[in-house]
Amino acid sequence: MFWLRNILSVCMVLTVLLCSTSAVVADDVAQSEEASNPLMDLLFPEKANPDDIPLQPKLPWFLFTFIFFLTFVLFMKSSTWNPLIKALDAREARIKQAERDADLTKHETKRLQAETEEKLANVKEQVKLLIAEARSKAETEKQEIISKAQADAQRVKDEALAEIREARESALEELSRSVEEQVAIATEHVVGRRL
């Protein structure tokens, strides 16, 4: 904002100089009765007077120009420059606030990103633990199923062997009875012929 005030100050000084110059030129033209066109006489004088000082300051015109300029500056300050400076200051404040908000948003985004990455790492670790636990349970159940199947197979085998033993013993008993009966019949038959 400092540079804007410097530019406005330079403009004011230039305006004062231009107004003073135009007032002096206008006074010279008004005094000259012979001049038909003041602009042409100013640009192309017919006779040059070496005693005349160009742009000689005149106190009444200078005071009038200075008062007019001061009035102009006060009017411009209240009606244009102050609102313009306030608007520029407000714009600068909005821009600074937007920058602060952007920085806060950036920091918040980074914080949330770090937090999310941490949570994601925790979730991945929990998933690994759950998978390991599930594998352990599956292995345990597998061993239980295998043990149970082996026990069932052994039981079925033992039952089958027991049935086979019983059947063998039963067959041996039957064979023994049958042999005894046959021996008794044969003995009776041999004894009966002899007697």
Side-chain angles (χ1 to χ4, degrees), residues 16-114:
V16 167
L17 289 176
L18 288 175
C19 289
S20 297
T21 304
S22 64
V24 170
V25 170
D27 188 34
D28 287 342
V29 169
Q31 288 177 0
S32 170
E33 295 175 4
E34 301 171 0
S36 59
N37 188 350
L39 185 61
M40 291 304 286
D41 288 343
L42 181 64
L43 293 174
F44 306 107
E46 290 181 17
K47 26 181 181 168
N49 187 357
D51 295 332
D52 285 341
I53 299 172
L55 301 175
Q56 181 179 7
K58 304 213 174 177
L59 186 62
W61 280 109
F62 177 76
L63 288 177
F64 172 75
T65 304
F66 183 73
I67 291 171
F68 178 77
F69 179 73
L70 222 67
T71 307
F72 173 74
V73 167
L74 292 175
F75 173 74
M76 290 301 286
K77 181 178 180 182
S78 64
S79 67
T80 306
W81 295 332
N82 281 342
L84 181 64
I85 289 171
K86 286 179 184 175
L88 289 174
D89 288 342
R91 180 174 181 259
E92 185 177 353
R94 283 193 315 270
I95 290 171
K96 285 182 180 178
Q97 183 62 37
E99 286 176 351
R100 282 192 297 273
D101 292 344
D103 285 342
L104 286 174
T105 304
K106 181 180 176 183
H107 292 300
E108 182 68 16
T109 302
K110 284 183 180 179
R111 185 189 64 78
L112 289 175
Q113 185 178 11

Side-chain angles (χ1 to χ4, degrees), residues 176-192:
S176 175
R177 240 181 294 137
S178 175
V179 169
E180 285 178 10
E181 284 177 16
Q182 291 295 327
V183 169
I185 294 174
T187 309
E188 277 180 17
H189 200 349
V190 169
V191 173

